Amino acid sequence: MTMPENGGEPVAALRLTSSTVDGITVVRVDGVLDATTRAQFADYLAMAGSHLILDLAGVTFMDSRALGLIVHHWQTSLAAGATFALIGVEYSKSKVMWITGLAQRLPLYDTLDDALAARK
């Protein structure tokens, strides 16, 4: 899905990229996580595997459905004994995480290095 930005060229509402660090898939999320991008996000998470770090620094908005997908993947990873972490989460763009109280339960880290260090 694309949306025009200030009359310019259309831009992607959600861009997902990944890399592997120490055997863990690191998924960089840029854009909006809401009902319009839910299927794209869900499909990408399904392909990412159970060892996962989500870099949410590029998220501009997150709704409860996207948070539900994240929580589901977190629970699945925990059950499998796998690594799961969130990095770069900003309150102003992910308020739903704090409103629901999940910010106190989910494994949140400032940086990739912090998340990697926590698993050792």
Side-chain angles (χ1 to χ4, degrees):
M1 175 177 199
T2 58
M3 301 180 328
E5 187 171 298
N6 297 328
E9 294 294 315
V11 295
L14 181 64
R15 188 166 64 103
L16 302 161
T17 54
S18 63
S19 60
T20 303
V21 178
D22 293 343
I24 302 169
T25 301
V26 179
V27 175
R28 167 95 180 158
V29 182
D30 291 294
V32 175
L33 289 175
D34 66 7
T36 65
T37 59
R38 184 184 188 283
Q40 179 186 358
F41 187 47
D43 291 346
Y44 206 89
L45 287 180
M47 293 185 304
S50 55
H51 291 284
L52 179 66
I53 295 175
L54 289 175
D55 181 348
L56 302 178
V59 169
T60 56
F61 173 79
M62 178 190 302
D63 73 3
S64 60
R65 290 182 181 190
L67 180 58
L69 284 173
I70 291 169
V71 168
H72 173 74
H73 208 81
W74 170 53
Q75 291 171 333
T76 302
S77 293
L78 282 177
T83 299
F84 183 89
L86 303 173
I87 60 173
V89 178
E90 294 182 37
Y91 172 80
S92 63
K93 299 170 185 174
S94 307
K95 288 179 186 174
V96 67
M97 209 175 284
W98 277 264
I99 292 168
T100 60
L102 287 165
Q104 289 75 36
R105 300 192 65 211
L106 289 165
L108 303 178
Y109 301 94
D110 291 332
T111 67
L112 178 58
D113 288 340
D114 292 343
L116 293 172
R119 60 183 281 258
K120 295 180 181 183

